[in-house]
Amino acid sequence: MHQSIKGESSMELFPLGESAIIVEFGKGIHLDIHRKVKRLTEYLDRYPFVGMIECVPAFSSVTVFYNPVKVKQENKEKGNRTSFEMVSSMLNQMALNIEESANQKPRTVEIPVCYGGDFGPDLEFVAEHNKLTLSDVIEIHSSREYLVYMIGFAPGFPYLGGMSERISAPRRSSPRMKIPGGSVGIAGTQTGIYPISTPGGWQLIGRTPLDLFCPDESPPSLLQSGDLIRFQPISRKEFDEYRGGSW
């Protein structure tokens, strides 16, 4: 059972059990789809309906979790409709009300990165795989502007769009059991930053001294969906200065 809603923000709605609904705007990683995801997420954060618990954005969809009992109590005048039908109706109305602000500009965040060496043990592999020099890989990687499509996998982990295919590289055949927080990696045509120490199979090309996830901060994630980031190459000395010489 699902519903299709057409219009400026065309979307399909799918139930996820009895207490969640998936709002899908399309397939794949595309900027126009991302904008629709972000608009709905921001609208729900600002104007949550009675019974809503939280909304979780992804590349092309938003999952909305809700309390079905509260939803039905709030909309009891609507008869025997299911909670999915009631929430679908509310989301339909929201889609008609959402307007993108012409003055809204994304935040740009600069991420310093020390490339290669112990911080980027796979930089040489990425270069050889693409028949480039180490300097070429660093220049290509740091010359782009990347869009944060979503945060996931690990707390504060940004899924980025915009990497050049010239430096794409396959995942490692054998994942590492522990990757240090701050490591910058490449997997396929994507690049990302490990915010905390975790296992992973991405090709590591550098490390940032910035803390991307601080649980005591609000919000705890340095990066948010919709941010634009640029990587700034730094030396090992500059890295140590960022970290107070503790690494």
Side-chain angles (χ1 to χ4, degrees), residues 182-200:
S183 295
V184 178
I186 288 175
T189 58
Q190 285 191 286
T191 185
I193 313 167
Y194 287 86
I196 59 175
S197 179
T198 180

Side-chain angles (χ1 to χ4, degrees), residues 201-230:
W202 290 36
Q203 305 287 352
L204 305 184
I205 62 172
R207 192 181 302 174
T208 178
L210 297 185
D211 292 323
L212 268 66
F213 181 70
C214 301
D216 295 330
E217 300 290 334
S218 182
S221 176
L222 172 65
L223 300 174
Q224 303 295 320
S225 172
D227 286 346
L228 296 175
I229 75 169
R230 294 190 68 92

Side-chain angles (χ1 to χ4, degrees), residues 14-34:
F14 303 88
L16 184 63
E18 297 182 353
S19 59
I21 184 170
I22 299 174
V23 184
E24 189 173 86
F25 291 100
K27 304 290 185 181
I29 305 173
H30 300 286
L31 181 58
D32 58 338
I33 294 176
H34 165 76

Side-chain angles (χ1 to χ4, degrees), residues 22-72:
I22 299 174
V23 184
E24 189 173 86
F25 291 100
K27 304 290 185 181
I29 305 173
H30 300 286
L31 181 58
D32 58 338
I33 294 176
H34 165 76
R35 287 171 175 161
K36 293 176 182 179
V37 168
K38 186 168 178 60
R39 288 202 297 271
L40 178 60
T41 302
E42 290 178 344
Y43 191 91
L44 287 169
D45 285 340
R46 193 177 300 117
Y47 307 109
F49 57 84
V50 176
M52 177 179 143
I53 298 173
E54 67 172 334
C55 61
V56 181
F59 278 121
S60 59
S61 65
V62 179
T63 301
V64 184
F65 294 88
Y66 57 87
N67 183 320
V69 175
K70 288 187 177 181
V71 168
K72 297 201 74 170

